[in-house]
Amino acid sequence: MSKSHYQSPRGTRDILPEEAEKWRWTLNSFAELAQRFGYGQVISPMFEDLGVFLRLGEDTEVVSKEMFTFQDKDPKAPQDLALRPELTASICRAFAQHRPTTPWKVWYEGPQFRYEKPQAGRFRQFVQVGAEIIGEEDPAADIEIITLAWKFYESLGLEHITLLINSLGNRETRGAYNRELSAYLSAASGSLSAQSRETLAKNPLRVLDSKREEDLEIISAAPTIQDFLSPEDGNHFESVCDGLTSVGIPFVVSPRLVRGLDYYTRTTFEFAADKLQTAQNAVGGGGRYDGLIEELGGPPTQGIGFALGVDRILLACEAEGLELGDSKPLDVFVVDLTGGSQATQITNEIRDHGFSADRSFGNRSIKAQMKVADRSGALFAIIVGDDELEKNEVTLRDLRGDGSQERVSRSNLVNALAASLKERYSQ
Ligand code: AMP
């Protein structure tokens, strides 16, 4: 077969049926869990006014380098738009727009877009699931949100996830820390990577995000934000840590964890999949963003949330050897040797009764149709030949067991199939 001229764009991929089944199962698991925790789903647009995302901080790489931006076609006043690189900003925009009562507990799922350098576990279109609690400063909200993420990993069977946690304090804390950090990094800037030197000039905190080899030693000796926390923020963080301990969620306090976006305050956290290569082992992260909604034109409102990367979670599951999904084989494949109209009627009837059924097309030979039936993985075949049609019967054949078959009357077909399937599943 010659290769198609067109390929999916760089950094994107097609998820084909076998793989897509795992995706659907995983996304459903998250939806069920979030509903069980009392969160409602928000479905927001895939693109927003560019300004919504600029509020995330123009010095952050996601905003300055990675956004897919475009203008609409309004000839007089074209609007600047961007494909969403994440969903917290959209949720906060939606909150500021609709002003629901608080606490507003919501979850979401969907693709995000970032113009990144593609590599294993890093794509230009990737899927996140996430949740937010808006309008609540109680550390119990932080604990609940982290618990939701943790239970999701657990529900998939993942056992090698590390929760890293830190507090970034408030705006003043960050200001004071930024100055101290800036002084420290500037003194050591000769040994930093060129990229980090550039970052240092714009936003010293971001340098701590660097995973570049030459920066690691300098970063590991950098002052930490913990020494700058106000007593209130220190207490808040302590309550979060105590709460996590009380619900049995293990965590590592990581004093230099600052996360990629600028809007975080107080609690920040990240989940690392220990079985993945370190460069892309972050399978989720989140934190408080107590100033973001105000920035987007809403009233001063606290918020906390997380986003988990589904592409990477599935890679982590693979690395841990987990089989995801609960897919069942097809119940029945209908083989029609009388022209095809019987197959149309019988598959419809079977599907209407809630069973899964498939058929072949094109009026092929019995050999060809049985081959397709076998390949379909169906448990049973229903065969209609001239003799069966004449007697108003069908043949029901066991495709996976001993290959036995029986004639059943057309009117009793559904009952006979139900009984055979019941027996198969009880074996
Ligand atoms: P972030 O908001 O950047 O921390 O993203 C949250 C999570 O989304 C990360 O922990 C990753 O699991 C996932 N993620 C972020 N960027 C990408 C990407 N380019 N490709 C795949 N997953 C990503």
Side-chain angles (χ1 to χ4, degrees), residues 91-92 95 100-106 132-138 141-142 288-290 293 299-305:
I91 298 285
C92 290
F95 178 84
T101 50
T102 56
W104 199 43
K105 292 176 51 172
V106 296
E132 319 279 349
I133 303 180
I134 293 183
E136 189 52 74
E137 121 180 277
D138 188 342
D142 305 42
R288 276 201 168 271
Y289 42 88
D290 291 350
I293 289 169
T301 314
Q302 304 93 353
I304 180 158

Side-chain angles (χ1 to χ4, degrees), residues 62 66 85-86 114 116 121-128 153 259-261 263-264 270-271 280-286 306-313:
V62 168
E66 298 173 358
E86 57 109 68
R114 294 182 194 176
E116 295 203 77
R122 176 170 297 156
F123 306 97
R124 289 182 176 172
Q125 176 177 331
F126 58 96
V127 171
Q128 288 181 336
Y153 296 123
R259 308 250 319 119
L261 301 172
Y263 54 69
Y264 288 111
E270 206 158 270
F271 298 96
Q280 283 82 38
N281 75 349
V283 286
F306 63 72
L308 316 181
V310 178
D311 305 71
R312 286 192 201 166
I313 289 174

Side-chain angles (χ1 to χ4, degrees), residues 16-80:
L16 302 179
E18 204 176 311
E19 188 66 14
E21 218 167 273
K22 293 182 199 161
W23 278 79
R24 187 159 41 84
W25 185 83
T26 305
L27 295 173
N28 285 347
S29 304
F30 183 76
E32 270 166 36
L33 194 64
Q35 300 281 153
R36 189 138 44 93
F37 270 63
Y39 292 65
Q41 186 179 9
V42 172
I43 303 173
S44 55
M46 294 240 191
F47 56 89
E48 296 270 357
D49 192 301
L50 176 62
V52 170
F53 300 121
L54 294 183
R55 296 294 171 282
L56 298 174
E58 296 192 40
D59 294 336
T60 62
E61 289 209 339
V62 168
V63 173
S64 63
K65 296 203 182 123
E66 298 173 358
M67 271 208 294
F68 283 91
T69 53
F70 58 102
Q71 287 193 323
D72 70 15
K73 294 196 189 304
D74 185 331
K76 289 203 198 96
Q79 194 184 356
D80 287 317

